[in-house]
PDB file of all heavy atoms in Angstrom:
ATOM      1  N   SER A 666     170.440 123.478 199.258  1.00 62.00           N
ATOM      2  CA  SER A 666     170.248 122.588 198.118  1.00 62.00           C
ATOM      3  C   SER A 666     171.007 121.280 198.304  1.00 62.00           C
ATOM      4  O   SER A 666     171.969 121.198 199.071  1.00 62.00           O
ATOM      5  CB  SER A 666     170.711 123.281 196.835  1.00 62.00           C
ATOM      6  OG  SER A 666     172.084 123.586 196.914  1.00 62.00           O
ATOM      7  N   LYS A 667     170.563 120.278 197.569  1.00 71.00           N
ATOM      8  CA  LYS A 667     171.250 118.994 197.596  1.00 71.00           C
ATOM      9  C   LYS A 667     172.617 119.129 196.938  1.00 71.00           C
ATOM     10  O   LYS A 667     172.830 120.001 196.102  1.00 71.00           O
ATOM     11  CB  LYS A 667     170.424 117.948 196.836  1.00 71.00           C
ATOM     12  CG  LYS A 667     169.105 117.583 197.505  1.00 71.00           C
ATOM     13  CD  LYS A 667     168.370 116.540 196.684  1.00 71.00           C
ATOM     14  CE  LYS A 667     169.151 115.234 196.628  1.00 71.00           C
ATOM     15  NZ  LYS A 667     168.397 114.178 195.906  1.00 71.00           N
ATOM     16  N   VAL A 668     173.524 118.243 197.338  1.00 77.00           N
ATOM     17  CA  VAL A 668     174.839 118.267 196.697  1.00 77.00           C
ATOM     18  C   VAL A 668     174.679 117.829 195.251  1.00 77.00           C
ATOM     19  O   VAL A 668     173.815 117.014 194.916  1.00 77.00           O
ATOM     20  CB  VAL A 668     175.831 117.339 197.431  1.00 77.00           C
ATOM     21  CG1 VAL A 668     176.053 117.815 198.847  1.00 77.00           C
ATOM     22  CG2 VAL A 668     175.370 115.895 197.415  1.00 77.00           C
ATOM     23  N   ASP A 669     175.527 118.399 194.380  1.00 81.00           N
ATOM     24  CA  ASP A 669     175.446 118.010 192.979  1.00 81.00           C
ATOM     25  C   ASP A 669     176.285 116.763 192.736  1.00 81.00           C
ATOM     26  O   ASP A 669     176.965 116.255 193.632  1.00 81.00           O
ATOM     27  CB  ASP A 669     175.870 119.174 192.074  1.00 81.00           C
ATOM     28  CG  ASP A 669     177.352 119.489 192.195  1.00 81.00           C
ATOM     29  OD1 ASP A 669     178.004 118.988 193.133  1.00 81.00           O
ATOM     30  OD2 ASP A 669     177.866 120.242 191.339  1.00 81.00           O
ATOM     31  N   ILE A 670     176.255 116.288 191.509  1.00 86.00           N
ATOM     32  CA  ILE A 670     176.920 115.040 191.161  1.00 86.00           C
ATOM     33  C   ILE A 670     178.427 115.131 191.399  1.00 86.00           C
ATOM     34  O   ILE A 670     179.066 114.157 191.816  1.00 86.00           O
ATOM     35  CB  ILE A 670     176.614 114.669 189.683  1.00 86.00           C
ATOM     36  CG1 ILE A 670     177.277 113.355 189.302  1.00 86.00           C
ATOM     37  CG2 ILE A 670     177.041 115.787 188.743  1.00 86.00           C
ATOM     38  CD1 ILE A 670     176.778 112.152 190.069  1.00 86.00           C
ATOM     39  N   HIS A 671     178.997 116.303 191.183  1.00 88.00           N
ATOM     40  CA  HIS A 671     180.448 116.450 191.325  1.00 88.00           C
ATOM     41  C   HIS A 671     180.880 116.335 192.787  1.00 88.00           C
ATOM     42  O   HIS A 671     181.883 115.681 193.097  1.00 88.00           O
ATOM     43  CB  HIS A 671     180.898 117.779 190.718  1.00 88.00           C
ATOM     44  CG  HIS A 671     180.416 117.980 189.324  1.00 88.00           C
ATOM     45  ND1 HIS A 671     180.820 117.174 188.283  1.00 88.00           N
ATOM     46  CD2 HIS A 671     179.530 118.868 188.794  1.00 88.00           C
ATOM     47  CE1 HIS A 671     180.225 117.565 187.171  1.00 88.00           C
ATOM     48  NE2 HIS A 671     179.438 118.592 187.458  1.00 88.00           N
ATOM     49  N   THR A 672     180.116 116.954 193.679  1.00 87.00           N
ATOM     50  CA  THR A 672     180.424 116.833 195.103  1.00 87.00           C
ATOM     51  C   THR A 672     180.226 115.400 195.572  1.00 87.00           C
ATOM     52  O   THR A 672     181.019 114.872 196.367  1.00 87.00           O
ATOM     53  CB  THR A 672     179.547 117.796 195.920  1.00 87.00           C
ATOM     54  OG1 THR A 672     179.798 119.137 195.486  1.00 87.00           O
ATOM     55  CG2 THR A 672     179.841 117.684 197.403  1.00 87.00           C
ATOM     56  N   ARG A 673     179.175 114.734 195.069  1.00 88.00           N
ATOM     57  CA  ARG A 673     178.944 113.336 195.468  1.00 88.00           C
ATOM     58  C   ARG A 673     180.078 112.438 195.002  1.00 88.00           C
ATOM     59  O   ARG A 673     180.554 111.578 195.749  1.00 88.00           O
ATOM     60  CB  ARG A 673     177.611 112.833 194.899  1.00 88.00           C
ATOM     61  CG  ARG A 673     177.306 111.380 195.289  1.00 88.00           C
ATOM     62  CD  ARG A 673     175.875 111.010 194.996  1.00 88.00           C
ATOM     63  NE  ARG A 673     175.591 110.911 193.575  1.00 88.00           N
ATOM     64  CZ  ARG A 673     175.866 109.820 192.823  1.00 88.00           C
ATOM     65  NH1 ARG A 673     176.477 108.781 193.357  1.00 88.00           N
ATOM     66  NH2 ARG A 673     175.549 109.803 191.548  1.00 88.00           N
ATOM     67  N   LEU A 674     180.537 112.641 193.781  1.00 89.00           N
ATOM     68  CA  LEU A 674     181.648 111.821 193.278  1.00 89.00           C
ATOM     69  C   LEU A 674     182.934 112.098 194.056  1.00 89.00           C
ATOM     70  O   LEU A 674     183.736 111.178 194.285  1.00 89.00           O
ATOM     71  CB  LEU A 674     181.872 112.110 191.791  1.00 89.00           C
ATOM     72  CG  LEU A 674     180.791 111.616 190.822  1.00 89.00           C
ATOM     73  CD1 LEU A 674     181.053 112.127 189.413  1.00 89.00           C
ATOM     74  CD2 LEU A 674     180.707 110.091 190.833  1.00 89.00           C
ATOM     75  N   MET A 675     183.140 113.324 194.475  1.00 91.00           N
ATOM     76  CA  MET A 675     184.362 113.666 195.213  1.00 91.00           C
ATOM     77  C   MET A 675     184.382 113.063 196.610  1.00 91.00           C
ATOM     78  O   MET A 675     185.450 112.914 197.215  1.00 91.00           O
ATOM     79  CB  MET A 675     184.518 115.190 195.309  1.00 91.00           C
ATOM     80  CG  MET A 675     185.001 115.848 194.028  1.00 91.00           C
ATOM     81  SD  MET A 675     186.630 115.268 193.508  1.00 91.00           S
ATOM     82  CE  MET A 675     187.672 115.945 194.793  1.00 91.00           C
ATOM     83  N   ARG A 676     183.220 112.701 197.136  1.00 89.00           N
ATOM     84  CA  ARG A 676     183.173 112.128 198.484  1.00 89.00           C
ATOM     85  C   ARG A 676     183.692 110.696 198.544  1.00 89.00           C
ATOM     86  O   ARG A 676     183.787 110.114 199.620  1.00 89.00           O
ATOM     87  CB  ARG A 676     181.750 112.232 199.034  1.00 89.00           C
ATOM     88  CG  ARG A 676     181.410 113.675 199.379  1.00 89.00           C
ATOM     89  CD  ARG A 676     180.037 113.873 199.962  1.00 89.00           C
ATOM     90  NE  ARG A 676     179.856 115.277 200.337  1.00 89.00           N
ATOM     91  CZ  ARG A 676     178.706 115.815 200.715  1.00 89.00           C
ATOM     92  NH1 ARG A 676     177.608 115.066 200.782  1.00 89.00           N
ATOM     93  NH2 ARG A 676     178.632 117.092 201.039  1.00 89.00           N
ATOM     94  N   LYS A 677     184.040 110.153 197.386  1.00 91.00           N
ATOM     95  CA  LYS A 677     184.685 108.833 197.368  1.00 91.00           C
ATOM     96  C   LYS A 677     186.129 108.916 197.852  1.00 91.00           C
ATOM     97  O   LYS A 677     186.723 107.908 198.211  1.00 91.00           O
ATOM     98  CB  LYS A 677     184.673 108.266 195.943  1.00 91.00           C
ATOM     99  CG  LYS A 677     183.291 107.983 195.379  1.00 91.00           C
ATOM    100  CD  LYS A 677     183.403 107.487 193.939  1.00 91.00           C
ATOM    101  CE  LYS A 677     182.029 107.241 193.328  1.00 91.00           C
ATOM    102  NZ  LYS A 677     182.123 106.828 191.903  1.00 91.00           N
ATOM    103  N   TYR A 678     186.695 110.125 197.817  1.00 93.00           N
ATOM    104  CA  TYR A 678     188.106 110.284 198.154  1.00 93.00           C
ATOM    105  C   TYR A 678     188.264 110.775 199.592  1.00 93.00           C
ATOM    106  O   TYR A 678     187.425 111.536 200.088  1.00 93.00           O
ATOM    107  CB  TYR A 678     188.765 111.290 197.195  1.00 93.00           C
ATOM    108  CG  TYR A 678     188.693 110.874 195.755  1.00 93.00           C
ATOM    109  CD1 TYR A 678     187.758 111.444 194.891  1.00 93.00           C
ATOM    110  CD2 TYR A 678     189.536 109.890 195.252  1.00 93.00           C
ATOM    111  CE1 TYR A 678     187.675 111.055 193.566  1.00 93.00           C
ATOM    112  CE2 TYR A 678     189.468 109.495 193.932  1.00 93.00           C
ATOM    113  CZ  TYR A 678     188.529 110.082 193.088  1.00 93.00           C
ATOM    114  OH  TYR A 678     188.453 109.674 191.783  1.00 93.00           O
ATOM    115  N   PRO A 679     189.326 110.355 200.268  1.00 92.00           N
ATOM    116  CA  PRO A 679     189.554 110.803 201.649  1.00 92.00           C
ATOM    117  C   PRO A 679     189.664 112.324 201.725  1.00 92.00           C
ATOM    118  O   PRO A 679     190.339 112.951 200.906  1.00 92.00           O
ATOM    119  CB  PRO A 679     190.891 110.136 202.025  1.00 92.00           C
ATOM    120  CG  PRO A 679     191.046 108.992 201.073  1.00 92.00           C
ATOM    121  CD  PRO A 679     190.364 109.406 199.810  1.00 92.00           C
ATOM    122  N   GLU A 680     188.988 112.886 202.708  1.00 91.00           N
ATOM    123  CA  GLU A 680     188.997 114.334 202.878  1.00 91.00           C
ATOM    124  C   GLU A 680     190.290 114.778 203.565  1.00 91.00           C
ATOM    125  O   GLU A 680     190.937 114.002 204.273  1.00 91.00           O
ATOM    126  CB  GLU A 680     187.782 114.745 203.726  1.00 91.00           C
ATOM    127  CG  GLU A 680     187.522 116.241 203.787  1.00 91.00           C
ATOM    128  CD  GLU A 680     187.446 116.881 202.413  1.00 91.00           C
ATOM    129  OE1 GLU A 680     186.400 116.817 201.766  1.00 91.00           O
ATOM    130  OE2 GLU A 680     188.490 117.425 201.996  1.00 91.00           O
ATOM    131  N   ILE A 681     190.658 116.048 203.348  1.00 93.00           N
ATOM    132  CA  ILE A 681     191.841 116.600 204.026  1.00 93.00           C
ATOM    133  C   ILE A 681     191.456 116.931 205.465  1.00 93.00           C
ATOM    134  O   ILE A 681     190.487 117.659 205.700  1.00 93.00           O
ATOM    135  CB  ILE A 681     192.322 117.887 203.326  1.00 93.00           C
ATOM    136  CG1 ILE A 681     192.641 117.614 201.860  1.00 93.00           C
ATOM    137  CG2 ILE A 681     193.544 118.461 204.038  1.00 93.00           C
ATOM    138  CD1 ILE A 681     192.981 118.862 201.063  1.00 93.00           C
ATOM    139  N   PRO A 682     192.193 116.406 206.451  1.00 92.00           N
ATOM    140  CA  PRO A 682     191.872 116.736 207.853  1.00 92.00           C
ATOM    141  C   PRO A 682     192.057 118.233 208.100  1.00 92.00           C
ATOM    142  O   PRO A 682     193.007 118.848 207.591  1.00 92.00           O
ATOM    143  CB  PRO A 682     192.901 115.924 208.655  1.00 92.00           C
ATOM    144  CG  PRO A 682     193.446 114.898 207.710  1.00 92.00           C
ATOM    145  CD  PRO A 682     193.346 115.493 206.340  1.00 92.00           C
TER     146      PRO A 682
END
Side-chain angles (χ1 to χ4, degrees):
S666 62
K667 292 180 64 176
V668 297
D669 68 347
I670 181 64
H671 308 295
T672 300
R673 180 167 70 82
L674 290 173
M675 284 299 292
R676 288 181 176 171
K677 296 177 182 177
Y678 300 102
E680 190 52 81
I681 302 174

